Amino acid sequence: MPEAREPRTAAEPPGSGTPAPTKLSIEKLNVSFGSVTALSDVSLDIADGEFVCILGASGCGKSTLFNVVSGLLKATSGKIVLDGHDVSNRPGQVGYMLQKDLMLPWRTVLGNITLAASLTRGATAQDRAEAAELASRYGLGDFLNHYPHALSGGMRQRVAMMRTIAAGRQVMLLDEPFGALDAQTRLGMQQWLLQLWRDLKRTILFVTHDVDEAIYLADRIVVMTPRPGRIAEILTVDLPRPRPLEVLTTDTFVGLKRQIMQHLYH
Amino acid sequence: MNTRFGAAAGPFLIWVVAMVLILVAWQVLVWVSGLPPYVIPPPALAFQTLFDNWPRLSVLTGQTLYETAIGYVLGALIGFLLALAMGQIRVVQRLVMPALIISQAVPIVAIAAPLVIIFGFGITPKLIIVAWIVFFPVVVNVLDGLASVDRDMLNLARLMGGGGLRTFAIVKLPACIGPLFSGLKIGATYAVTGAVIGEWTASSKQGLGTYLLTANAQMNTAGVYAAMLLLTVIGVGSFLLVFGLEVLMTPWRSRSTAPAWAQWNPPRTTS
């Protein structure tokens, strides 16, 4: 099978001919819990507007990596650089979203989306109007005054995503956000996320253990292996954007999948 | 909410029918058995006593209701604040929890006498006894509510830049409202018992509890039943009041969309 290397076209951040500047640098990260090494010498540069998927079996340190990047966890050594500034151990510099939707049940959809504003300075009428506009643009317009319990799991994850976006951070860490959804809903969510990303030009770091999901979404895929958690391989996904569902069966896609599977289950 | 009250109308009707059936059966049984009214008064006699003595009984009901209500609010408030303090400061929880459990293990009747010796025949011991009964379910439930807040939710709040106070007000405090009402509902039915025990021990002012004692001593069994009925009405009424308040204050539990006052509507502009 020929592994066709198409030129990177739409994988580049839109509107830039030259490579985008580095947005986030993970530099020589080591994390140990006692005698257990969770992360070993992890380094990664992520370009502005890039979509990077981190792929690995459970225990490979994906979540540990996210906790360090977000500032929740102190690394044993190494640092995190955002826009040229060292942000190690400074929580709140990047957006963060988990598999759990973490909705506040007593707040409406709109109230949940404006949570960051409420937590920092109190949500203003303008915050609410902007959040409503954003949510309406991405299919939540009819649910602004709904309570989360009245929504499906997929809709709740959309709200959680809107909440992450409304928090305004340029870099968003998404930790298996669609992991709890059924396959059909998940595919819809992936397309929805790609549309969001294209429109809003955020930088996304996306953890998943689903190989198809990683290839379909990412510009680059970081394959991690466990014990100790480290980067085994970084692959560039040469699939043009926007990506219709048909790319899931192209030779490039299948070739990449084979390559990744070899790393994961060698 | 209309639908919720509408749905409650069916069970309510059944409840009324059941009550009437019990009363009728009771009345018939007393007739058939020929037992004297001081052993088991027919319900009609109990109601008769209630209506004949209403001017006096209403005053007594007012007194007991007063003790119950003030003691209840006091107990709920203390319980709520104590639970918040315990939830926020681990050391306080470790220190206070054993004392709380012991406080509930001591028979309330045994506490009543020393309280009267300390505080006299006035209203104070009654309030303390009612509050004593009410605060415990409130503490336990509110603590559960605080503990139920997802650790990841707190991390998320931190990452969003939420300070301690705002995170507490926005993420933690609302998580206690549901559990708080669970505790308040338990307390609502027990509170009146506390007031009666307080009155039984010693009282300078007459209430339904003291009336119960007097009526019992005079073999005025119908009067005992009349007082019992009034005490039950206070208990059930308190429960319903708290329940109604709960429905109003926790709209997300019974509705799929926010009530009108909490809805967001787009600002009116021409586009």
Side-chain angles (χ1 to χ4, degrees):
Chain A
M1 271 284 165
E3 279 184 5
R5 289 269 166 193
E6 295 162 41
R8 267 188 93 189
T9 50
E12 224 84 76
S16 67
T18 51
T22 299
K23 184 76 181 172
L24 180 78
S25 288
I26 298 165
E27 296 178 10
K28 293 195 161 63
L29 219 55
N30 285 282
V31 179
S32 307
F33 301 112
S35 59
V36 181
T37 307
L39 282 180
S40 170
D41 200 31
V42 171
S43 292
L44 183 65
D45 282 348
I46 295 143
D48 195 12
E50 197 179 13
F51 199 129
V52 173
C53 276
I54 296 173
L55 191 65
S58 52
C60 72
K62 295 173 293 187
S63 294
T64 306
L65 177 63
F66 265 28
N67 284 334
V68 172
V69 174
S70 68
L72 283 175
L73 184 69
K74 204 172 179 305
T76 312
S77 67
K79 59 180 179 179
I80 308 295
V81 178
L82 179 71
D83 289 324
H85 302 288
D86 188 346
V87 295
S88 312
N89 311 321
R90 281 178 54 201
Q93 305 303 306
V94 297
Y96 195 83
M97 176 181 167
L98 301 179
Q99 182 175 323
K100 283 188 274 187
D101 56 63
L102 297 176
M103 293 283 108
L104 295 176
W106 48 86
R107 293 193 145 219
T108 60
V109 164
L110 194 68
N112 273 289
I113 295 176
T114 53
L115 181 63
S118 300
L119 280 170
T120 47
R121 52 191 162 75
T124 62
Q126 197 194 339
D127 288 324
R128 276 185 278 272
E130 283 173 10
E133 201 274 324
L134 182 77
S136 303
R137 198 166 357 126
Y138 294 103
L140 290 168
D142 293 336
F143 303 100
L144 295 177
N145 290 314
H146 276 65
Y147 290 115
H149 75 82
L151 304 182
S152 66
M155 290 302 273
R156 293 227 292 254
Q157 279 309 74
R158 283 174 200 244
V159 178
M161 187 76 74
M162 288 290 129
R163 177 182 61 191
T164 314
I165 289 164
R169 311 292 191 273
Q170 288 304 308
V171 177
M172 306 202 308
L173 311 182
L174 312 180
D175 191 352
E176 298 195 34
F178 309 144
L181 305 176
D182 63 86
Q184 296 294 316
T185 310
R186 187 188 298 197
L187 206 54
M189 292 293 283
Q190 289 164 0
Q191 291 171 294
W192 182 78
L193 174 61
L194 284 182
Q195 189 200 339
L196 265 174
W197 172 70
R198 202 165 54 238
D199 294 351
L200 301 172
K201 301 179 176 65
R202 302 279 175 100
T203 306
I204 294 182
L205 226 70
F206 189 107
V207 158
T208 181
H209 56 251
D210 179 339
V211 180
D212 286 22
E213 181 170 65
I215 303 172
Y216 183 61
L217 293 174
D219 292 326
R220 281 192 299 156
I221 297 173
V222 177
V223 182
M224 293 186 71
T225 49
R227 283 175 297 274
R230 56 182 188 85
I231 295 177
E233 176 79 63
I234 300 178
L235 299 119
T236 303
V237 181
D238 284 328
L239 290 168
R241 297 186 190 269
R243 295 176 181 166
L245 284 179
E246 290 76 58
V247 302
L248 292 170
T249 49
T250 58
D251 288 347
T252 317
F253 192 98
V254 176
L256 270 170
K257 188 169 177 177
R258 185 181 307 121
Q259 227 178 316
I260 293 167
M261 301 284 260
Q262 277 164 4
H263 278 295
L264 288 178
Y265 316 102
H266 52 93
Chain B
M1 218 142 52
N2 280 332
T3 52
R4 184 155 172 173
F5 285 133
F12 180 71
L13 213 69
I14 289 177
W15 189 82
V16 169
V17 171
M19 276 337 228
V20 169
L21 282 178
I22 289 171
L23 288 177
V24 169
W26 176 4
Q27 185 83 29
V28 170
L29 262 169
V30 173
W31 270 338
V32 172
S33 64
L35 286 167
Y38 60 81
V39 178
I40 295 180
L45 184 62
F47 281 111
Q48 185 67 45
T49 312
L50 177 61
F51 290 124
D52 289 349
N53 295 295
W54 181 244
R56 173 144 182 262
L57 279 173
S58 62
V59 174
L60 301 181
T61 305
Q63 175 63 22
T64 302
L65 191 59
Y66 177 70
E67 294 159 1
T68 307
I70 307 272
Y72 181 78
V73 171
L74 221 63
L77 212 63
I78 293 169
F80 187 56
L81 295 178
L82 193 62
L84 292 186
M86 288 167 74
Q88 289 302 100
I89 309 160
R90 199 41 54 89
V91 181
V92 175
Q93 181 161 352
R94 296 242 168 91
L95 270 173
V96 174
M97 204 60 198
L100 289 193
I101 295 167
I102 291 168
S103 82
Q104 298 303 302
V106 178
I108 195 80
V109 189
I111 297 165
L115 283 178
V116 169
I117 294 170
I118 299 168
F119 296 105
F121 296 164
I123 194 168
T124 315
K126 284 100 187 162
L127 297 187
I128 293 175
I129 291 168
V130 174
W132 194 293
I133 292 175
V134 170
F135 93 101
F136 190 68
V138 170
V139 169
V140 171
N141 280 285
V142 171
L143 270 180
D144 275 353
L146 284 174
S148 76
V149 177
D150 197 322
R151 183 148 278 285
D152 286 325
M153 186 66 230
L154 294 174
N155 277 339
L156 182 71
R158 205 173 133 220
L159 289 180
M160 286 182 159
L165 210 61
R166 278 188 189 273
T167 303
F168 179 75
I170 291 171
V171 177
K172 286 184 148 187
L173 205 53
C176 299
I177 299 177
L180 168 67
F181 274 104
S182 300
L184 286 178
K185 280 189 288 190
I186 298 172
T189 50
Y190 284 153
V192 69
T193 308
V196 169
I197 290 172
E199 289 178 16
W200 277 359
T201 311
S203 223
S204 56
K205 250 191 165 167
Q206 296 265 300
L208 282 178
T210 47
Y211 177 83
L212 262 177
L213 280 188
T214 321
N216 200 29
Q218 295 167 343
M219 297 282 261
N220 174 12
T221 315
V224 171
Y225 277 69
M228 212 153 68
L229 184 72
L230 288 170
L231 288 169
T232 310
V233 168
I234 293 179
V236 173
S238 314
F239 182 89
L240 291 178
L241 193 73
V242 174
F243 176 68
L245 213 60
E246 179 186 21
V247 171
L248 280 179
M249 287 189 66
T250 55
W252 63 89
R253 288 182 157 193
S254 51
R255 307 169 53 104
S256 56
T257 56
W261 56 266
Q263 292 227 357
W264 181 85
N265 290 303
R268 253 170 266 154
T269 49
T270 47
S271 53

